[in-house]
Each structure stands twice: as structure tokens, then as C-alpha cells.
Amino acid sequence: MTSTRRFLLAGAALLCTMAGLSAAHAQALPDLKGRTIVAVTENAYPPLNFKDPKTGESVGWEYDAFNEIAKRLNAKVEWKLTSWDTMIEAVRQGQFDVGMDGITIKADRKKQVDFSDPYMVSEQFMMVRANEKRFDNPKAFKANAKLLVGAQGGTTNFFTAVYEVLDGNEKNPRIKLYDTFGLSMQALKAGDVDMVLTDSASSQGYIKAFPNTYKVVGKPMGHEEFGFIFKPKSNLVAPINAAIKQLKADGTFDKLNQKWFVDYKLNQ
């Protein structure tokens, strides 16, 4: 088992404790009476949300989890796609009922949108090409001015690169910005950048999808919790939190972790 997988499963275990399983499973959930929930994602963040290269179907941990949440709440899901850089504002304005994209629960974002309870815990890792030998920790990366990091602006990965790896300058020319996380990973593969920071969930997805192409180096940085986002004062937060609690307690999230982080392999 890789160190990445150990960190991922350990983090997931923190949220999927079996304490109080019987009471949580037996508790009746709110009935949304067939309500349609308009949910949005970027569909470009495997294994949480992405387009299956073989079937073309939108799949991933978040799709499965939220579809199950809606089912238990007697609701339907209408899935929509949007770019990461517009997602939070679009949800804040009420264009969508709920958003998800491995969104870290942060104080500044709480000023814009409401968050659900966390559904997953993750950490930041340094993703590099499989043959990388020039550095294996943030200090060594920072010391070599020729090394570049790829990031998607406004993400936790970007801010971790700025403040925990480099010098705190958000306009540092060593950071190359990309419209999507997937494009930053393509740049890494092509040699246009030398490192991309990613959470443990996504790093596991890419390593499995592209054997002998990527690897993780160094120790995990930081600790982040992912949550669904809603417009302020949304009446969906409480019922979805109730469902999250139940899915953690009855082992559903454990099964999804196994499916997407251990068993599933993307078709190359």
C-alpha cells in the first residue's frame, strides 16, 4: 500500500467512524418530497468528479455520494457543469442549489457561501513526474529557482504553493496558472512545470490512472476538510448534513472510499 493511500484511508477513517452506527442509521431523515436539487461540479477532478474516458459518463466519489444523499432525502438531482473560478459565486447567487469540487472548508469562503459538514478529510502532497530526482521536499523545491509549480488560481493547491512552498508572493513567476487542475497535470506530464500540489484523493486518482508517470514526494502538508457549498441560509444545509451523518455512520462512505480510491482504475 502506498503512503498516499495510507494517508487517504486514514483521513477518510476519521470521518467514517462507526461510533453510534445503529442510532444514526435508524434515525429518520427529512423528506424533501421529490424536490429537484440542481447540483454543479467542474467534472475535472478525479476521482471525486470526472468524465470516464471509456464511457464518457460523468462519474466519481462526489456523484455517487450526492446521488445517494438525494435518494435518502426523497429528492432528485439535476447535474450541471461550470468552471471552478465561477462556481462559488454562482452558488452564492443561487444559480445552483449545491456545489462540489473537493472544496476546502475555509473561513474566507464561509463569508460567501454556506458549507455542509465535512464529508472527507485530505492533505496536500507534492506531485511530480515519476523520474524526478532533483527535489523531494518543499525546502529543496524553493531553493532551486529554475523549478516551476503548476496551479489553478484560487484553489487550496495554489495558496499552499504560495505560502507553504514559496515566498508568499501570489504573483511569483515560478507559479504557472492553468484554467483547470487537469491542465496543470498535463503541464507536469509534458515537463512544462516541475510540481503540482494536490490533495490525497486526487493524487491517488492520477497515480492509478497513469502508472509510471507521476509520484508523490515529501510529507503531507496541511489538513483540509471538504464540504458541499450552498447559497447563504439555504434550507438544504440541515437535511444534507443529516444525510452525511447517516452515510458516515452506516459505512456508505467507507464503501465509496474503497470503490474510488482502491478498486477503481481509470482507463488510459
Side-chain angles (χ1 to χ4, degrees):
M1 179 179 288
T2 66
S3 59
T4 301
R5 185 174 297 174
R6 285 197 295 270
F7 281 121
L8 175 64
L9 295 180
L14 291 175
L15 288 179
C16 298
T17 177
M18 300 303 288
L21 184 154
S22 298
H25 185 57
Q27 181 181 5
L29 294 176
D31 186 348
L32 298 186
K33 302 184 184 302
R35 172 177 175 175
T36 296
I37 300 173
V38 181
V40 67
T41 185
E42 189 180 25
N43 210 35
Y45 203 32
L48 298 183
N49 58 77
F50 62 102
K51 185 177 181 179
D52 188 292
K54 182 177 180 180
T55 67
E57 180 184 3
S58 294
V59 297
W61 194 101
E62 288 177 335
Y63 281 107
D64 282 0
F66 200 79
N67 283 333
E68 180 62 21
I69 286 170
K71 178 181 177 181
R72 296 193 186 193
L73 294 174
N74 187 23
K76 300 176 182 178
V77 186
E78 180 180 348
W79 288 100
K80 300 288 186 179
L81 302 180
T82 194
S83 63
W84 160 252
D85 58 354
T86 64
M87 185 181 298
I88 292 178
E89 179 61 18
V91 171
R92 187 190 71 80
Q93 293 179 1
Q95 296 178 32
F96 310 103
D97 296 318
V98 59
M100 63 202 77
D101 200 30
I103 302 175
T104 303
I105 300 172
K106 297 176 64 177
D108 59 336
R109 291 174 180 164
K110 286 183 177 181
K111 296 177 182 178
Q112 304 174 67
V113 291
D114 285 350
F115 274 92
S116 70
D117 291 337
Y119 57 81
M120 186 178 293
V121 171
S122 191
E123 295 168 301
Q124 292 287 304
F125 291 87
M126 298 177 70
M127 181 79 82
V128 300
R129 289 182 293 279
N131 61 354
E132 181 59 69
K133 296 180 180 179
R134 295 168 296 175
F135 64 94
D136 61 4
N137 61 75
K139 184 177 180 180
F141 182 91
K142 180 180 180 180
N144 187 339
K146 295 181 179 180
L147 298 177
L148 303 177
V149 56
Q152 184 181 14
T155 63
T156 300
N157 306 344
F158 168 77
F159 290 114
T160 301
V162 170
Y163 294 102
E164 295 192 33
V165 179
L166 297 175
D167 58 2
N169 177 11
E170 294 186 11
K171 296 184 178 180
N172 190 313
R174 292 179 62 184
I175 302 176
K176 301 302 179 183
L177 297 180
Y178 296 90
D179 290 338
T180 69
F181 176 77
L183 288 176
S184 69
M185 290 300 295
Q186 290 178 29
L188 176 61
K189 182 178 180 181
D192 297 331
V193 297
D194 304 291
M195 184 266 286
V196 171
L197 284 169
T198 175
D199 62 77
S200 51
S202 188
S203 66
Q204 181 64 28
Y206 271 90
I207 289 173
K208 289 177 63 178
F210 304 100
N212 304 315
T213 301
Y214 302 109
K215 67 179 180 181
V216 166
V217 297
K219 297 180 180 180
M221 292 178 282
H223 172 96
E224 56 185 351
E225 297 177 328
F226 295 161
F228 302 119
I229 61 171
F230 310 84
K231 68 179 181 180
K233 300 182 180 179
S234 170
N235 60 7
L236 284 172
V237 177
I240 287 175
N241 279 345
I244 288 173
K245 181 177 180 180
Q246 189 178 89
L247 268 65
K248 289 178 186 177
D250 69 14
T252 299
F253 280 0
D254 286 328
K255 293 177 182 178
L256 293 183
N257 292 336
Q258 178 71 31
K259 174 182 177 180
W260 290 108
F261 301 129
V262 180
D263 297 336
Y264 189 81
K265 291 185 178 181
L266 295 171
N267 298 286
Q268 299 181 57

